[in-house]
Amino acid sequence: MEFLRSLFYPKEIYNLIRYKMGGLAKVEQDPMSESLQTCYKFLEETGRSYALVIQALEGELRHAACILYLVTRAVDTVEDDPTISLETKIHILTNFQNFLYQPDWRFMDSKQKNRIVLEDFPTISREFRNLAVVYQEVIANAAHEVALGMVEYLPKQVETVQDWDKYCYYASSPTVIGLSVMFSVSGLEEPIVGEDTRISISVSLLMQKINLIRDFLEDQLNGLELWPKEVWSKYGKNLSDFAKPENIVPAVQCLNELITNILQHVPDVLLYLSRLQNQRVFKFCAVPLIYQKIPPKDPSSEKTQNILATIRKLSVPNGATGGPLLAVTEQYSGRGSTWTSGNAPISPW
């Protein structure tokens, strides 16, 4: 499931685009302990794109975000590893929060590519305990809820759309909520960013669902079926059939229905973005382009168009089509237009 690939906000996409365009300045980093340097090394190795965004932060918030990523990556690595027995997984995940306070705990039997975060967990947990208590509490609570959610779904299948929402919630929402709280506590953002958990949950569901769609083939190879049967069973007898070229038409129709489900979260994502401080106008053409390419005979066509019409009203001046997605910053032009790296919230998905 690669939960971490799902866990950073839409702001990360924004930051990464600006980084590639040279618009995100590097932050002068304070001297770091050897163990903290090791944590940033792990961050580079296990999540390079996230490392760019996290290191755009300043001070202890940057370190807290780094440790949060690594801790949740460790949870994810246990959950994803097919070589770990169900009994062992349940034991580790159920007790994971406690391991943060045990200096010597590590796990050496993972075969996953990111196993270093388990093998050298003492380095990560040491830096966790060096953080301010408020950040420790956020990280510990997020890791605990994610781990328990994974335990609930280890022996289960994702049958209904409601199951899909619940699975995606457990996989990423606690961390997204935690990061929103961090942003507010740090003073970078207004209290509403951390207080409005409904919006944070919606943001996390959007990105988690995107990743589950993207990871279809990888999950199939790992014996995982994380698309809701309630949807895919309309288009085929077996989810694995969608990987066969002869099933391209029903596979795309199934994909379109899932994407339509995802689009319902976009207005909340735009609202979340509108609350973040010091944003420049964010011009992006993806939503209008998607709208123009909806196959009229697709079973999800009408519903998709209706959702995108709502998104355009929120994001494009005067509801015009074909224009840039402005992320509702036109409505907030008085809240500051200068981008500075110190005001850049990260995105854990």
Side-chain angles (χ1 to χ4, degrees):
M1 177 253 312
E2 284 284 335
F3 138 67
L4 251 301
R5 286 183 302 187
S6 90
L7 98 53
F8 282 33
Y9 306 152
K11 195 63 184 181
E12 183 184 37
I13 299 172
Y14 179 66
N15 287 347
L16 288 175
I17 292 172
R18 290 192 55 76
Y19 185 89
K20 293 296 184 183
M21 296 174 63
L24 188 59
K26 282 190 174 182
V27 175
E28 191 71 28
Q29 295 191 6
D30 299 327
M32 292 186 289
S33 66
E34 183 176 346
S35 60
L36 189 53
Q37 291 179 42
T38 299
C39 288
Y40 277 97
K41 177 173 175 284
F42 292 161
L43 177 64
E44 292 282 352
E45 293 173 354
T46 63
R48 292 181 181 178
S49 61
Y50 303 140
L52 297 176
V53 183
I54 289 173
Q55 293 186 66
L57 296 170
E58 293 181 310
E60 191 174 24
L61 178 61
R62 181 175 74 234
H63 304 327
C66 174
I67 300 305
L68 175 58
Y69 180 94
L70 295 176
V71 167
T72 47
R73 170 61 76 186
V75 174
D76 186 51
T77 301
V78 172
E79 193 269 344
D80 281 343
D81 193 335
T83 69
I84 302 175
S85 70
L86 180 60
E87 182 181 4
T88 300
K89 283 187 179 184
I90 291 174
H91 170 73
I92 293 175
L93 294 173
T94 302
N95 294 281
F96 201 88
Q97 184 181 30
N98 298 329
F99 298 149
L100 290 166
Y101 301 95
Q102 297 177 14
D104 298 326
W105 185 87
R106 67 179 75 221
F107 184 72
M108 302 299 293
D109 295 328
S110 175
K111 300 298 187 295
Q112 287 290 86
K113 62 181 179 180
N114 295 314
R115 60 185 177 273
I116 186 61
V117 295
L118 294 172
E119 294 174 347
D120 197 8
F121 196 76
T123 295
I124 298 170
S125 67
R126 181 185 307 122
E127 289 305 323
F128 162 81
R129 293 188 298 276
N130 286 337
L131 294 170
V133 172
V134 63
Y135 292 126
Q136 289 186 37
E137 290 176 348
V138 169
I139 294 171
N141 290 337
H144 182 62
E145 189 168 1
V146 169
L148 291 186
M150 294 301 96
V151 168
E152 179 176 339
Y153 270 87
L154 282 174
K156 288 185 179 180
Q157 296 294 322
V158 179
E159 296 285 343
T160 66
V161 172
Q162 186 176 7
D163 286 337
W164 202 40
D165 283 348
K166 190 175 181 181
Y167 177 84
C168 291
Y169 169 84
Y170 282 135
S172 62
S173 294
T175 308
V176 173
I177 292 169
L179 278 163
S180 296
V181 172
M182 282 184 178
F183 299 153
S184 295
V185 168
S186 70
L188 287 180
E189 301 297 343
E190 296 296 325
I192 187 63
V193 173
E195 292 169 356
D196 194 341
T197 56
R198 188 192 68 81
I199 295 297
S200 292
I201 290 170
S202 194
V203 169
S204 71
L205 293 182
L206 179 141
M207 292 310 297
Q208 181 66 29
K209 290 176 180 180
I210 287 174
N211 282 289
L212 291 183
I213 288 177
R214 181 195 63 195
D215 295 343
F216 167 77
L217 185 56
E218 180 180 342
D219 287 339
Q220 282 288 305
L221 294 174
N222 288 328
L224 299 173
E225 294 195 346
L226 299 175
W227 288 14
K229 186 175 182 180
E230 179 183 349
V231 174
W232 65 255
S233 61
K234 300 176 186 177
Y235 305 97
K237 293 182 179 180
N238 301 291
L239 182 57
S240 59
D241 291 342
F242 294 153
K244 301 174 182 178
E246 62 267 26
N247 295 321
I248 184 64
V249 172
V252 170
Q253 290 178 342
C254 177
L255 184 64
N256 285 341
E257 182 168 343
L258 293 177
I259 290 173
T260 301
N261 175 281
I262 290 172
L263 289 173
Q264 68 181 306
H265 302 298
V266 173
D268 283 342
V269 172
L270 297 179
L271 175 57
Y272 185 94
L273 289 171
S274 75
R275 289 171 172 171
L276 302 180
Q277 300 294 314
N278 298 311
Q279 294 184 79
R280 281 187 176 184
V281 174
F282 182 22
K283 298 181 178 180
F284 194 57
C285 300
V287 171
L289 288 174
I290 289 172
Y291 185 86
Q292 294 169 7
K293 292 184 178 181
I294 300 171
K297 294 184 179 180
D298 188 271
S300 302
S301 176
E302 182 178 356
K303 188 174 182 180
T304 305
Q305 291 180 26
N306 289 338
I307 294 173
L308 286 173
T310 300
I311 293 169
R312 287 206 316 279
K313 289 178 182 178
L314 289 172
S315 61
V316 182
N318 302 319
T321 59
L325 174 63
L326 297 181
V328 290
T329 50
E330 285 287 331
Q331 300 175 35
Y332 296 84
S333 57
R335 297 179 61 182
S337 58
T338 302
W339 177 269
T340 59
S341 59
N343 290 318
I346 70 168
S347 314
W349 354 301

